[in-house]
Every structure is written in structure tokens, then in C-alpha cells.
Amino acid sequence: MNEELLHSLNEAQRQAVLHFEGPALVVAGAGSGKTRTVVHRVAYLIAHRGVFPSEILAVTFTNKAAEEMKERLKRMVKGAGELWVSTFHAAALRILRVYGERVGLKPGFVVYDEDDQTALLKEVLKELGLTAKPGPIRSLLDRAKNQGVAPESLVAELPEFYGGLSRGRLQDVLVRYGEALRAQGALDFGDILLKALELLEGDEEVLKRVRRRARFIHVDEYQDTNPVQYRFTRLLAGEEANLMAVGDPDQGIYSFRAADIRNILEFTRDYPGARVYRLEDNYRSTEAILRFANAVIAQNALRLEKTLRPVRAGGEPVRLFRAPDAREEARFVAEEVLRLGPPFERVAVLYRTNAQSRLLEQALASRGIPVRVVGGVGFFERAEVKDLLAYARLSLNPLDVVSLKRVLNTPPRGIGPATVEKVQAMAQERGLPLYEALKVGAEVLPRPEPLRHFLALMEELQDLVFGPAEAFFRHLLEATDYPNYLKEAYPEDHEDRLENVEELLRAAKEAEGLMDFLDRVALTARAEEPGETGGRVALMTLHNAKGLEFPVVFLVGVEEGLLPHRSSLSTLEGLEEERRLFYVGITRAQERLYLSYAGEREVYGRTEPTRPSRFLEEVDPTLYEEYDPYRPPRPVPPPHRPKPGAYKGGERVFHPRFGPGTVVAASGDEVTVHFEGVGLKRLSLKYADLRPA
């Protein structure tokens, strides 16, 4: 059994798999087989080291990755069903379902997704008599909870007015939002890990029980852990620290989600004596692509030293196309995809910002090339799906006001806004939950029948919550005549919506019960995970491309202001993360990599000249070739680069973005220029493309 598990591994993978007790860091480069290494290590612990499957926890960042790992392990070892393989949030939610009452959670607590959060924030704003958009407030809540701090503590760092509210009123909203969540027996997504931490840090008995269930811990994509996930991992690892962290600091690209790359860079400081294993053999990309990728990422200082080695020698050269403008760039991509021909699912087009997708989608579609834009509305965000889920959550938890308001008159049953206002007023006057106030309203309001019918329906549904989830939804559809409602309300696309309802029933059939199904939904509804492209070219941002691979990749907009993005140029950390993002895009390519940039691009409604990204200028130009299928090869004209000392002060100059100006000071590679209508700007001669006027 030992040899069977090890014979398909390279030497570095084998050494990591053989690691037994104590902390270990596996620095796994892109395409180096890290999932294979983790799966074989888990199987080796069970088959050769006598570890029980029920003592092993493996944490991934996506539900899709967790399911794939489970399936691979089921094929390899007996008892794999007892393994604990899940995302961070799923692991924390599982703990809370068992022990949540110890930190004040009711057994039927629900988890609010982004739409539910937004609806609750709207209610809070309305209650407080405030006019503001909930989006910025929700972003603040997410940021605070990912960092593991109280949202109120971040208010002092904000401008005097944030999202249309003063700091004082924002504090009121945050406090009231927290009170409303507790009153409704709900957590938002960010609360799941925080509540689990509160439980584990405050209850030694529970912590011991959970640690027995997680004696050997594996954390994938460790470079993406945020402060709360880091605390959760350290707490579970304890003094034994049988923790294997797997990741690649060169692919740390999620600081906007509070991911902290220092967690992986400082792993050996956190766990003295930890063994470090480096997986550097790349099975994904050709030699030409990897040489370019290694040259790009070598410019970063914040990294753990490694060099990807190609298993596949040679390959097509990396090609760079300079387009006159963004529209021609999109045309180039579409024409080249046509030239390469189907199957089109081989191809991905990657870009830094969502705004870049429009021209690309139009250019591809106009040539009859099927396209899928990754990052559209996810299945569980669709209106008809959310309606049915709201009924299920309300049946389990009548305190859930967000769900109650969604379904109270859906399908229409004669409960209008005036009735709702009267019931809310009664709830406030009598100190009742809204659901209980409905019962009062059904006795005292002039037209009680609609409320009585609704309450009778809810009683029927509450009797079904502990049975099969599919049976619950089928009864709901029949009792509300929901399919007919969709036909009447959405005559143009009701068939698509009915297909979504059927898909929901199929998903419910796979769950163990209604609560299990809702937990699965809560953990997957945040964002649609990129999956099969179904014969279509995939368009996606570089952030969405993480973890995927394609035979052909077009990486567009490789220019200053886009990649690196203008918002990231003020700090070394920001610039290095942009370089890592470029590296992630490069290493998605298996066989062909095309890079492109535009000579000018529309920015905030104005067409402005651009220049190639500094990331291109930093690497040896022999690592890529200029490519232009429309005319014979010619060198791409380099931007004007004055040498240090070229300016003394007083010279008239021109900058493509800031216009004409006068040099007022010069020192080495830097000049200070006064631009008319802009003011003083300090510029690097290496990057500024400054020209004599």
C-alpha cells in the first residue's frame, strides 16, 4: 500500500507526503500538483500511519475544491466518508450547529447571504429615518469581520461622511443592525467564523472535543487566509501543531478580502521547527511560459524563494500584441480565437477589471463565437430560487424578518404595504416579533383572511421541516401554485425560471434534510464558482481565474493604470500584489499565452494615451515576441526614457496624462514637475514617459 501511494509522486511530493507529526509548510508553485500531494498525504496517514479518518481535517477555500478532494479520497482509502473536508466557513458552521447554544445561538439559527444583509440594512435605515445605500455599509461589515474586529471600531478611520452618513449615524446603523440580527436569530456570513472563535476561545471543553476531531490539519491556499481564519487554524492546531499548510505566496492576490500574505511568509516563525517542502516541478505550462512567469515574479521581494521547473519542454513563444486602442485589442482577440478554431472551451480571456469585458464580449459574439462571462448572477441569487429558500428559512425560524417580508405577499395573496405597516406598528407597540404580530393582526384587522391563509400555510410547512428537503419544496410549490405565478409574472422567461425551480428540487434531493440543504446554500451562494464553460470562450477577471487552467490564455490590458492598477501604485505591497496577479494570469496558460495592451484607452469617459506595463519592461525582451497577424513583424517602439541627469530644472516637458509642464527639481532618476491645471507631481524617469515639449 505504501508503494502504491508513493510511486506516482515526484521526490518533493513524496517527502511532503511522508511527513508525519509536527508542523509543515508545503510551498507549492502553480501547476505543481499540490492537491495530489495533500490527497496522498491524507491517504498515507490513514493507510500507513494508523491515523483514523475521523481525526483528519482538510480545509479548502471553495466548496468545489472540497468536493473534488472528498471524491478523490473516497477512491483511494476506506472510511474516507469520516474525513472532515470542508471550507473554513463550513467547518465553523458545523461546530456551531452542535455547540452553538453555548454562545447564545438558537438551534434554528439561519445564515443571511448578501441579499438578506442588504434587505436587513434597508430595514434598519428606514427604521432610523436615514437615506443611504446599504452597499458601503455591507462592505464595512465584511471588512471588519474578516479582520476579526467590531465594525464600530473601524468608523473612526473613515472620512467624516461615509456612504452618505455621518460617523455618528453610521455607528447607530451598525449597532441597530447587530441588534436586529440577534433578535431574528440570524448570523451573516462574516459572523460564522467569529462566533465559532468566540465558542472555542471561551469553552475549553468544546475546544478539546474539536481538537480530537482535528488531530491532523491540512490548510490549502494558506496564503489566502485572513486574520480570523489564521486565528481559527492556530487555535485548532494547538500545541501538538500537526498542521500542514499548503500554498504559494506568489499567488497571494486577495488582500481586498483581508487575506494576509504574512501568514505564509512567517509560518516558520509561528511554528518553530516546521519542515519546509518546495514543489517546483510544473506539470501545467510549457517551458516558454514558465521562463516568462519566473522572470516576472522574481522582481518581488515579499516571497519565499522558488523557481518553477517545466516538465514540458519547449512550447510556443509568449506573444505580445500592441493594439492602437481597446476596440482593436478586442478585435485581435476575437480574430485570433477564430483562427485557432474550436473547441472554444480551450480559451480564456483574462482582464484586470470587469469594465474591460464589454468590448471583448461584443467582438467575440459578433463573430459567432460563444462566450461565457464568469461572475454573472449565481444560481442561488435568482429571484425565484431566493423566494423558495426564504419560505424554507422562515419555516425553520419564524423570527427571520428578512425572509418573512420576502414571502408574505409572494405569490400575491392580498397582503399589501398598508397591511404590513399596520402589523409592524402592532409589533412595535406590543414588543412582539413580526411573525407573532401577524397572528394578532389575523384576529383584529378588518380583512384578516389573507393573513390567516398565510399563517395556515406556514403551519403546514413547519410540520415538514424535519422531513426530506425535496418533499418540503414540492409541497410548497403545490400549496402556493408557484409555477403558475411564474408564468403570469414572467411571461417572457418563465420557462427558464421553472427550470431553475426544477434545479433547486434536484439540489434539495441530494441533501440530508432541510437544515442541511440551507447550510449548503449559505456556504455556496456568496459567488458562483467558475466551472465548465460548455463549449464557450471564458471571459473573467484575473481574480476569478485563480485555480483554473486553459490551453490558450489571452491576458489583455497589460498596461500602466490597469496592470498594475492605478489604485495600487502608492505602496510596495500594492505593487507587488499586482505583479502576483499578473503571475497568476500567466500561469493559467498551458500551451499558448497571448499578452496585449492598447495604445490608448477610454478612462472615465476620456480617451487617454497609455503605455506598456512596467511588468513587461522588467523582463528580458527575448522571453516574448512581438506578434501582429495584420502586418509583418516589427519592433514595438519603446516609450521615451530620458536618462538620469537629463533634466536640471526649468525645462518644458510633456506628459501623456498630465499635459505640458515645467521641471522644477531633479535628483537622479526622479523629477518634480509643475503641470498646468494639475500642480506638482513627482515622477520617475524610468516610468513617466516624459518628453521635451
Coordinates of all heavy atoms in Angstrom, one line a residue, residues 301-379:
A301 N 9.9 41.2 -3.8 CA 10.7 41.0 -2.6 C 10.0 40.1 -1.6 O 10.6 39.3 -0.9 CB 11.1 42.3 -2.0
L302 N 8.6 40.3 -1.5 CA 7.9 39.6 -0.5 C 7.5 38.2 -1.0 O 6.4 38.0 -1.5 CB 6.6 40.4 -0.1 CG 6.8 41.7 0.5 CD1 5.5 42.5 0.6 CD2 7.4 41.6 1.9
R303 N 8.4 37.2 -0.9 CA 8.1 35.9 -1.4 C 9.1 34.9 -0.7 O 10.1 35.3 -0.1 CB 8.3 35.8 -2.9 CG 9.7 36.2 -3.5 CD 9.6 36.3 -5.0 NE 9.1 35.1 -5.6 CZ 9.9 34.2 -6.3 NH1 11.2 34.4 -6.3 NH2 9.4 33.2 -6.9
L304 N 8.8 33.6 -0.9 CA 9.6 32.5 -0.5 C 10.3 32.0 -1.8 O 9.6 31.7 -2.7 CB 8.8 31.4 0.2 CG 8.1 31.8 1.5 CD1 7.2 30.7 2.0 CD2 9.1 32.2 2.6
E305 N 11.6 31.9 -1.7 CA 12.4 31.6 -2.9 C 12.0 30.2 -3.5 O 11.9 29.2 -2.8 CB 13.9 31.6 -2.6 CG 14.8 31.6 -3.9 CD 14.5 32.8 -4.7 OE1 14.3 33.9 -4.2 OE2 14.5 32.6 -6.0
K306 N 11.7 30.3 -4.8 CA 11.4 29.0 -5.6 C 11.4 29.4 -7.0 O 11.2 30.5 -7.4 CB 10.1 28.4 -5.2 CG 8.9 29.1 -5.7 CD 7.6 28.3 -5.5 CE 6.4 28.8 -6.2 NZ 6.3 30.3 -6.2
T307 N 11.7 28.4 -7.9 CA 11.7 28.6 -9.3 C 10.9 27.4 -9.9 O 11.3 26.2 -9.7 CB 13.1 28.6 -9.9 OG1 13.8 29.7 -9.3 CG2 13.1 28.8 -11.4
L308 N 9.9 27.7 -10.7 CA 9.1 26.7 -11.4 C 10.0 26.0 -12.5 O 10.5 26.7 -13.3 CB 7.8 27.2 -12.0 CG 6.8 27.7 -11.0 CD1 5.6 28.2 -11.7 CD2 6.4 26.5 -10.0
R309 N 10.0 24.7 -12.5 CA 10.7 23.9 -13.5 C 9.7 23.2 -14.4 O 8.8 22.5 -13.9 CB 11.6 22.9 -12.8 CG 12.7 23.5 -11.9 CD 13.7 22.4 -11.5 NE 13.0 21.5 -10.6 CZ 13.0 21.5 -9.2 NH1 13.7 22.5 -8.6 NH2 12.4 20.6 -8.5
P310 N 9.9 23.4 -15.7 CA 8.9 22.8 -16.6 C 9.1 21.3 -16.8 O 10.2 20.8 -17.0 CB 9.2 23.5 -17.9 CG 10.6 23.9 -17.9 CD 10.9 24.2 -16.4
V311 N 8.0 20.6 -16.7 CA 8.1 19.2 -17.1 C 7.9 19.0 -18.6 O 8.4 18.1 -19.2 CB 7.0 18.4 -16.3 CG1 6.9 16.9 -16.8 CG2 7.2 18.4 -14.8
R312 N 7.2 20.0 -19.2 CA 7.0 20.1 -20.6 C 8.0 21.1 -21.3 O 7.9 22.3 -21.1 CB 5.6 20.5 -21.0 CG 4.5 19.6 -20.3 CD 3.2 20.3 -20.3 NE 2.7 20.5 -21.7 CZ 1.6 21.2 -22.0 NH1 1.0 21.8 -21.1 NH2 1.3 21.3 -23.3
A313 N 9.0 20.6 -22.0 CA 10.0 21.4 -22.6 C 9.4 22.1 -23.8 O 8.4 21.8 -24.4 CB 11.2 20.6 -23.0
G314 N 10.1 23.2 -24.2 CA 9.8 24.0 -25.5 C 8.5 24.7 -25.4 O 8.1 25.3 -24.3
G315 N 7.7 24.7 -26.5 CA 6.4 25.3 -26.5 C 6.4 26.6 -27.3 O 7.5 27.1 -27.7
E316 N 5.2 27.0 -27.7 CA 5.0 28.3 -28.4 C 5.6 29.5 -27.6 O 5.4 29.5 -26.4 CB 3.5 28.5 -28.7 CG 2.9 27.5 -29.7 CD 3.3 27.7 -31.1 OE1 3.5 28.9 -31.5 OE2 3.3 26.7 -31.9
P317 N 6.2 30.4 -28.3 CA 6.6 31.6 -27.6 C 5.5 32.4 -27.0 O 4.4 32.4 -27.5 CB 7.4 32.4 -28.6 CG 6.8 32.0 -29.9 CD 6.4 30.5 -29.8
V318 N 5.8 33.1 -25.9 CA 4.8 34.1 -25.4 C 4.7 35.2 -26.4 O 5.7 35.8 -26.8 CB 5.2 34.6 -24.0 CG1 4.3 35.7 -23.5 CG2 5.3 33.5 -23.0
R319 N 3.5 35.6 -26.8 CA 3.3 36.6 -27.8 C 2.7 37.9 -27.3 O 1.7 37.8 -26.5 CB 2.4 36.0 -28.9 CG 3.0 34.9 -29.7 CD 2.2 34.4 -30.9 NE 3.0 33.5 -31.7 CZ 2.8 32.2 -31.8 NH1 1.8 31.7 -31.1 NH2 3.6 31.5 -32.6
L320 N 3.2 39.0 -27.7 CA 2.7 40.3 -27.3 C 2.2 41.1 -28.4 O 2.8 41.3 -29.5 CB 3.9 41.1 -26.6 CG 3.6 42.6 -26.2 CD1 2.5 42.6 -25.1 CD2 4.9 43.3 -25.8
F321 N 0.9 41.6 -28.3 CA 0.3 42.4 -29.4 C 0.0 43.8 -28.8 O -0.6 44.0 -27.8 CB -1.1 41.7 -29.8 CG -1.8 42.5 -30.8 CD1 -1.4 42.6 -32.1 CD2 -3.0 43.2 -30.4 CE1 -2.1 43.4 -33.0 CE2 -3.7 43.9 -31.3 CZ -3.3 44.0 -32.6
R322 N 0.4 44.8 -29.6 CA 0.2 46.2 -29.3 C -1.0 46.6 -30.2 O -0.8 46.7 -31.4 CB 1.4 47.0 -29.5 CG 1.1 48.5 -29.1 CD 2.3 49.4 -29.6 NE 2.1 50.8 -29.1 CZ 1.3 51.7 -29.6 NH1 0.5 51.4 -30.7 NH2 1.2 52.9 -29.1
A323 N -2.1 47.0 -29.6 CA -3.3 47.4 -30.3 C -3.3 48.9 -30.3 O -2.9 49.6 -29.3 CB -4.6 46.9 -29.7
P324 N -3.8 49.6 -31.4 CA -3.9 51.0 -31.4 C -4.9 51.5 -30.2 O -4.6 52.5 -29.6 CB -4.5 51.4 -32.7 CG -4.3 50.2 -33.6 CD -4.2 49.0 -32.7
D325 N -6.0 50.8 -30.0 CA -6.9 51.1 -29.0 C -7.6 49.9 -28.4 O -7.4 48.8 -28.9 CB -7.9 52.2 -29.5 CG -8.7 51.7 -30.7 OD1 -9.0 50.5 -30.8 OD2 -9.0 52.5 -31.6
A326 N -8.5 50.1 -27.5 CA -9.1 49.0 -26.8 C -10.0 48.2 -27.7 O -10.2 46.9 -27.6 CB -9.9 49.4 -25.6
R327 N -10.7 48.9 -28.7 CA -11.6 48.2 -29.6 C -10.8 47.3 -30.5 O -11.2 46.1 -30.8 CB -12.4 49.2 -30.4 CG -13.6 48.6 -31.1 CD -14.4 49.8 -31.7 NE -15.1 50.5 -30.6 CZ -16.2 50.1 -30.0 NH1 -16.8 49.0 -30.3 NH2 -16.7 50.9 -29.1
E328 N -9.6 47.7 -31.0 CA -8.8 46.9 -31.8 C -8.2 45.7 -31.1 O -7.9 44.7 -31.6 CB -7.7 47.8 -32.5 CG -8.1 48.6 -33.6 CD -8.7 47.8 -34.8 OE1 -8.0 46.9 -35.2 OE2 -9.9 48.1 -35.2
E329 N -7.9 46.0 -29.8 CA -7.4 44.9 -28.9 C -8.5 43.8 -28.9 O -8.2 42.6 -29.0 CB -7.1 45.4 -27.5 CG -6.6 44.3 -26.6 CD -6.4 44.9 -25.2 OE1 -7.3 45.6 -24.6 OE2 -5.3 44.6 -24.6
A330 N -9.7 44.1 -28.7 CA -10.8 43.2 -28.6 C -11.0 42.4 -30.0 O -11.2 41.2 -30.1 CB -12.1 43.8 -28.2
R331 N -10.8 43.2 -31.1 CA -10.9 42.6 -32.4 C -9.8 41.6 -32.6 O -10.0 40.5 -33.1 CB -10.8 43.7 -33.5 CG -10.7 43.2 -34.9 CD -10.4 44.3 -35.9 NE -10.1 43.8 -37.2 CZ -9.0 44.2 -37.9 NH1 -8.2 45.1 -37.5 NH2 -8.8 43.6 -39.1
F332 N -8.6 41.9 -32.2 CA -7.4 41.0 -32.3 C -7.8 39.7 -31.5 O -7.5 38.6 -32.1 CB -6.2 41.6 -31.7 CG -5.2 40.6 -31.3 CD1 -4.4 39.9 -32.2 CD2 -4.9 40.3 -29.9 CE1 -3.5 38.9 -31.8 CE2 -4.0 39.4 -29.5 CZ -3.3 38.7 -30.5
V333 N -8.3 39.8 -30.3 CA -8.6 38.6 -29.6 C -9.6 37.7 -30.3 O -9.4 36.5 -30.5 CB -9.1 38.9 -28.2 CG1 -9.7 37.7 -27.4 CG2 -8.0 39.6 -27.3
A334 N -10.7 38.3 -30.8 CA -11.7 37.6 -31.5 C -11.2 36.9 -32.8 O -11.5 35.8 -33.1 CB -12.9 38.5 -31.8
E335 N -10.4 37.7 -33.5 CA -9.9 37.1 -34.8 C -8.9 36.0 -34.5 O -8.9 35.0 -35.3 CB -9.2 38.2 -35.6 CG -10.1 39.3 -36.1 CD -11.0 38.8 -37.2 OE1 -10.8 37.7 -37.8 OE2 -12.0 39.6 -37.6
E336 N -8.1 36.1 -33.5 CA -7.2 35.1 -33.2 C -7.9 33.8 -32.7 O -7.5 32.7 -33.0 CB -6.1 35.6 -32.1 CG -4.9 34.7 -32.0 CD -4.0 34.6 -33.2 OE1 -4.2 35.4 -34.1 OE2 -3.1 33.8 -33.2
V337 N -8.9 34.0 -31.9 CA -9.7 32.8 -31.4 C -10.3 32.1 -32.6 O -10.3 30.9 -32.7 CB -10.8 33.3 -30.4 CG1 -11.8 32.1 -30.1 CG2 -10.2 33.8 -29.1
L338 N -10.8 32.9 -33.6 CA -11.4 32.3 -34.8 C -10.3 31.5 -35.6 O -10.5 30.4 -36.1 CB -12.0 33.4 -35.7 CG -13.4 33.7 -35.6 CD1 -13.8 34.7 -36.6 CD2 -14.3 32.5 -35.7
R339 N -9.1 32.1 -35.6 CA -8.0 31.5 -36.4 C -7.6 30.2 -35.7 O -7.4 29.2 -36.4 CB -6.8 32.4 -36.4 CG -5.7 31.9 -37.3 CD -4.5 32.8 -37.3 NE -3.8 32.7 -36.0 CZ -2.9 31.7 -35.7 NH1 -2.7 30.7 -36.6 NH2 -2.3 31.7 -34.5
L340 N -7.6 30.1 -34.4 CA -7.3 28.9 -33.6 C -8.4 27.9 -33.8 O -8.1 26.7 -33.8 CB -7.0 29.2 -32.2 CG -5.8 30.1 -31.8 CD1 -5.8 30.4 -30.4 CD2 -4.5 29.3 -32.2
G341 N -9.6 28.3 -33.9 CA -10.7 27.4 -34.1 C -11.2 26.7 -32.9 O -10.6 26.8 -31.8
P342 N -12.4 26.0 -33.0 CA -12.9 25.3 -31.9 C -12.0 24.1 -31.5 O -11.1 23.7 -32.3 CB -14.3 24.8 -32.4 CG -14.2 24.9 -33.9 CD -13.2 25.9 -34.2
P343 N -12.2 23.4 -30.4 CA -13.3 23.7 -29.4 C -12.9 25.0 -28.6 O -11.8 25.2 -28.1 CB -13.3 22.5 -28.4 CG -11.9 22.0 -28.6 CD -11.4 22.2 -30.0
F344 N -13.9 25.9 -28.4 CA -13.7 27.2 -27.8 C -13.5 27.1 -26.3 O -13.0 28.1 -25.7 CB -14.8 28.1 -28.2 CG -14.9 28.5 -29.6 CD1 -16.0 28.2 -30.4 CD2 -13.8 29.1 -30.3 CE1 -16.1 28.5 -31.7 CE2 -13.8 29.4 -31.6 CZ -15.0 29.1 -32.4
E345 N -13.9 26.1 -25.7 CA -13.7 26.0 -24.2 C -12.2 25.9 -23.8 O -11.9 26.0 -22.7 CB -14.5 24.8 -23.6 CG -14.0 23.5 -24.0 CD -14.8 22.9 -25.2 OE1 -15.4 23.7 -25.9 OE2 -14.9 21.7 -25.3
R346 N -11.4 25.7 -24.8 CA -9.9 25.7 -24.6 C -9.4 27.1 -24.2 O -8.3 27.3 -23.6 CB -9.1 25.3 -25.8 CG -9.4 23.9 -26.3 CD -8.5 23.7 -27.5 NE -8.6 24.7 -28.6 CZ -7.7 25.0 -29.4 NH1 -6.4 24.5 -29.3 NH2 -7.9 25.9 -30.3
V347 N -10.2 28.2 -24.5 CA -9.7 29.5 -24.5 C -10.3 30.3 -23.3 O -11.5 30.2 -23.0 CB -10.1 30.3 -25.8 CG1 -9.6 31.7 -25.8 CG2 -9.6 29.5 -27.0
A348 N -9.4 31.1 -22.6 CA -9.9 32.0 -21.6 C -9.3 33.4 -21.9 O -8.1 33.5 -22.4 CB -9.4 31.6 -20.2
V349 N -10.1 34.4 -21.7 CA -9.6 35.8 -21.9 C -9.7 36.4 -20.5 O -10.7 36.5 -19.9 CB -10.5 36.6 -22.9 CG1 -9.9 38.0 -23.1 CG2 -10.6 35.9 -24.2
L350 N -8.5 36.9 -20.0 CA -8.4 37.4 -18.7 C -8.2 38.9 -18.7 O -7.4 39.4 -19.5 CB -7.3 36.7 -17.9 CG -7.2 35.2 -18.0 CD1 -6.1 34.6 -17.2 CD2 -8.5 34.6 -17.5
Y351 N -8.7 39.6 -17.7 CA -8.6 41.1 -17.6 C -8.6 41.5 -16.2 O -9.0 40.8 -15.3 CB -9.7 41.8 -18.4 CG -11.0 41.1 -18.3 CD1 -11.8 41.3 -17.2 CD2 -11.5 40.2 -19.3 CE1 -13.1 40.7 -17.1 CE2 -12.7 39.6 -19.2 CZ -13.5 39.8 -18.1 OH -14.7 39.2 -18.0
R352 N -8.1 42.7 -16.0 CA -7.9 43.2 -14.6 C -9.2 43.7 -14.0 O -9.5 43.5 -12.8 CB -6.9 44.3 -14.6 CG -6.7 45.0 -13.2 CD -6.1 44.0 -12.2 NE -5.9 44.6 -10.9 CZ -6.8 44.8 -10.0 NH1 -8.1 44.5 -10.2 NH2 -6.5 45.4 -8.8
T353 N -10.1 44.4 -14.8 CA -11.3 44.9 -14.3 C -12.5 44.5 -15.1 O -12.4 44.2 -16.3 CB -11.3 46.5 -14.3 OG1 -11.3 46.9 -15.7 CG2 -10.1 47.0 -13.6
N354 N -13.7 44.4 -14.5 CA -14.9 43.9 -15.2 C -15.3 44.8 -16.3 O -15.8 44.3 -17.3 CB -16.0 43.8 -14.2 CG -16.0 42.6 -13.4 OD1 -16.0 41.5 -13.9 ND2 -16.0 42.7 -12.0
A355 N -14.9 46.1 -16.2 CA -15.3 47.0 -17.3 C -14.7 46.7 -18.6 O -15.2 47.0 -19.7 CB -14.9 48.4 -16.9
Q356 N -13.6 45.9 -18.6 CA -12.9 45.5 -19.9 C -13.7 44.5 -20.7 O -13.4 44.3 -21.8 CB -11.5 45.0 -19.6 CG -10.5 46.1 -19.1 CD -9.2 45.4 -18.5 OE1 -9.0 45.3 -17.3 NE2 -8.4 45.1 -19.5
S357 N -14.6 43.8 -20.0 CA -15.3 42.7 -20.7 C -16.2 43.1 -21.8 O -16.4 42.3 -22.7 CB -16.0 41.8 -19.6 OG -17.1 42.5 -19.1
R358 N -16.8 44.3 -21.7 CA -17.9 44.6 -22.7 C -17.4 44.5 -24.1 O -18.0 43.8 -25.0 CB -18.4 46.0 -22.4 CG -19.5 46.4 -23.3 CD -20.1 47.8 -22.9 NE -19.1 48.8 -23.1 CZ -18.8 49.4 -24.2 NH1 -19.5 49.1 -25.3 NH2 -17.9 50.4 -24.3
L359 N -16.3 45.2 -24.5 CA -15.8 45.2 -25.8 C -15.4 43.8 -26.3 O -15.6 43.4 -27.4 CB -14.6 46.1 -26.0 CG -14.9 47.6 -25.9 CD1 -13.6 48.4 -25.9 CD2 -15.8 48.1 -27.0
L360 N -14.8 43.0 -25.4 CA -14.4 41.7 -25.7 C -15.6 40.8 -26.0 O -15.6 40.0 -27.0 CB -13.6 41.1 -24.5 CG -12.2 41.8 -24.3 CD1 -11.7 41.5 -22.9 CD2 -11.2 41.3 -25.3
E361 N -16.6 40.9 -25.1 CA -17.8 40.1 -25.3 C -18.5 40.4 -26.7 O -18.9 39.5 -27.4 CB -18.8 40.3 -24.2 CG -20.0 39.3 -24.2 CD -20.8 39.5 -22.9 OE1 -20.6 40.4 -22.1 OE2 -21.8 38.7 -22.8
Q362 N -18.5 41.7 -27.0 CA -19.2 42.1 -28.2 C -18.4 41.6 -29.4 O -19.0 41.2 -30.4 CB -19.3 43.6 -28.3 CG -20.3 44.2 -27.3 CD -20.3 45.7 -27.3 OE1 -19.4 46.4 -27.7 NE2 -21.4 46.3 -26.8
A363 N -17.0 41.8 -29.4 CA -16.2 41.4 -30.5 C -16.3 39.8 -30.8 O -16.4 39.4 -31.9 CB -14.8 41.7 -30.2
L364 N -16.3 39.1 -29.7 CA -16.4 37.6 -29.9 C -17.8 37.2 -30.4 O -18.0 36.4 -31.3 CB -16.1 36.9 -28.5 CG -14.7 37.0 -28.1 CD1 -14.5 36.7 -26.6 CD2 -13.8 36.0 -28.9
A365 N -18.9 37.8 -29.8 CA -20.2 37.4 -30.1 C -20.5 37.8 -31.6 O -21.2 37.1 -32.3 CB -21.2 38.1 -29.2
S366 N -20.0 39.0 -32.0 CA -20.3 39.4 -33.4 C -19.7 38.5 -34.4 O -20.1 38.6 -35.6 CB -19.7 40.9 -33.6 OG -18.3 40.9 -33.6
R367 N -18.7 37.7 -34.0 CA -18.1 36.7 -35.0 C -18.7 35.3 -34.7 O -18.1 34.3 -35.2 CB -16.6 36.7 -34.8 CG -16.0 38.0 -35.4 CD -14.6 38.3 -34.8 NE -14.0 39.5 -35.4 CZ -14.3 40.7 -35.1 NH1 -15.2 40.9 -34.1 NH2 -13.7 41.7 -35.7
G368 N -19.7 35.2 -34.0 CA -20.4 33.9 -33.8 C -19.7 33.0 -32.8 O -19.9 31.8 -32.8
I369 N -18.8 33.6 -32.0 CA -18.0 32.8 -31.0 C -18.8 32.8 -29.7 O -19.0 33.8 -29.1 CB -16.6 33.4 -30.8 CG1 -15.8 33.4 -32.1 CG2 -15.8 32.6 -29.7 CD1 -14.5 34.2 -32.0
P370 N -19.2 31.6 -29.2 CA -20.0 31.6 -28.0 C -19.1 32.0 -26.8 O -17.9 31.6 -26.7 CB -20.4 30.1 -27.9 CG -19.4 29.3 -28.7 CD -19.0 30.3 -29.8
V371 N -19.7 32.7 -25.9 CA -19.0 33.3 -24.7 C -19.7 33.1 -23.4 O -20.9 33.0 -23.4 CB -18.8 34.9 -25.0 CG1 -18.3 35.6 -23.7 CG2 -18.0 35.2 -26.1
R372 N -18.9 32.9 -22.4 CA -19.4 32.8 -21.0 C -18.7 33.8 -20.2 O -17.5 33.7 -20.0 CB -19.3 31.4 -20.5 CG -19.7 31.3 -19.0 CD -19.5 29.9 -18.5 NE -20.0 29.7 -17.1 CZ -19.2 29.5 -16.1 NH1 -17.9 29.3 -16.3 NH2 -19.7 29.4 -14.9
V373 N -19.4 34.8 -19.6 CA -18.7 35.7 -18.7 C -18.8 35.2 -17.3 O -19.9 35.1 -16.7 CB -19.4 37.1 -18.8 CG1 -18.7 38.1 -17.9 CG2 -19.3 37.6 -20.2
V374 N -17.7 34.8 -16.7 CA -17.7 34.2 -15.4 C -17.9 35.4 -14.4 O -17.3 36.4 -14.5 CB -16.4 33.5 -15.1 CG1 -16.4 33.0 -13.6 CG2 -16.2 32.3 -16.0
G375 N -18.8 35.2 -13.4 CA -19.1 36.2 -12.4 C -20.4 36.8 -12.6 O -20.7 37.9 -12.0
G376 N -21.3 36.2 -13.4 CA -22.7 36.7 -13.5 C -23.5 36.4 -12.3 O -23.0 36.0 -11.2
V377 N -24.8 36.5 -12.4 CA -25.7 36.2 -11.3 C -25.7 34.7 -11.0 O -25.9 33.9 -11.8 CB -27.2 36.6 -11.6 CG1 -28.1 36.2 -10.4 CG2 -27.2 38.1 -11.9
G378 N -25.3 34.4 -9.7 CA -25.2 33.0 -9.3 C -26.6 32.4 -9.2 O -27.6 33.1 -9.0
F379 N -26.6 31.0 -9.3 CA -27.9 30.3 -9.2 C -28.7 30.7 -8.0 O -29.9 31.0 -8.1 CB -27.6 28.8 -9.2 CG -28.9 28.0 -9.1 CD1 -29.7 27.8 -10.2 CD2 -29.2 27.4 -7.9 CE1 -30.8 27.0 -10.1 CE2 -30.4 26.7 -7.8 CZ -31.2 26.5 -8.9

